[in-house]
Amino acid sequence: QTQLVESGGGLVQAGGSLRLSCRVSGAILSTFSGSTLAWYREAPGKQRVLVASITSDRSTNYADSVKGRFTISKDNAKRTVYLQMNSLRPEDTAVYYCNLNFRPGYIYWGQGTQVTVSS
């Protein structure tokens, strides 16, 4: 059973930084390395939206609102995907979810980690 577990969330002041991690278990290396991995976030009363993604060949994509501030990366050997968040703003406050997409029918989500940015 594939499971995704996020960590690294918390409370930070505006302008600060956090690094989120998402450890994937139950997936063989070729599945992890061949997947598109992504971070989404869901703010109170809003829909879940894509924040950043990284493909199997390490191509990255970012939401306009986080470009230049957030960086997504992955470590295939550790089966872990990261989201480095710098220059955090109060509007970045949300629950952040990790997503693994290998193929239709093999898509998994983590349970989410809360990020709160105070002004």
Side-chain angles (χ1 to χ4, degrees), residues 30-76:
S30 60
T31 297
F32 181 88
S33 62
S35 296
T36 293
L37 302 158
W39 288 95
Y40 288 74
R41 67 186 182 189
E42 187 173 326
K46 296 186 177 181
Q47 290 186 327
R48 190 174 299 186
V49 296
L50 177 68
V51 175
S53 63
I54 184 167
T55 65
S56 57
D57 64 356
R58 300 183 184 271
S59 295
T60 58
N61 179 55
Y62 296 92
D64 288 343
S65 59
V66 306
K67 282 180 180 177
R69 300 188 297 123
F70 291 11
T71 303
I72 189 170
S73 61
K74 64 172 181 172
D75 185 326
N76 286 336

Side-chain angles (χ1 to χ4, degrees), residues 73-119:
S73 61
K74 64 172 181 172
D75 185 326
N76 286 336
K78 294 182 179 180
R79 292 170 180 69
T80 301
V81 58
Y82 305 96
L83 186 67
Q84 178 66 44
M85 305 186 295
N86 299 327
S87 302
L88 283 161
R89 304 167 180 169
E91 54 264 39
D92 294 318
T93 295
V95 178
Y96 283 71
Y97 296 90
C98 179
N99 173 272
L100 180 149
N101 186 333
F102 180 62
R103 56 169 170 75
Y106 199 106
I107 301 173
Y108 291 90
W109 291 89
Q111 83 289 348
T113 186
Q114 176 71 46
V115 171
T116 302
V117 184
S118 63
S119 57

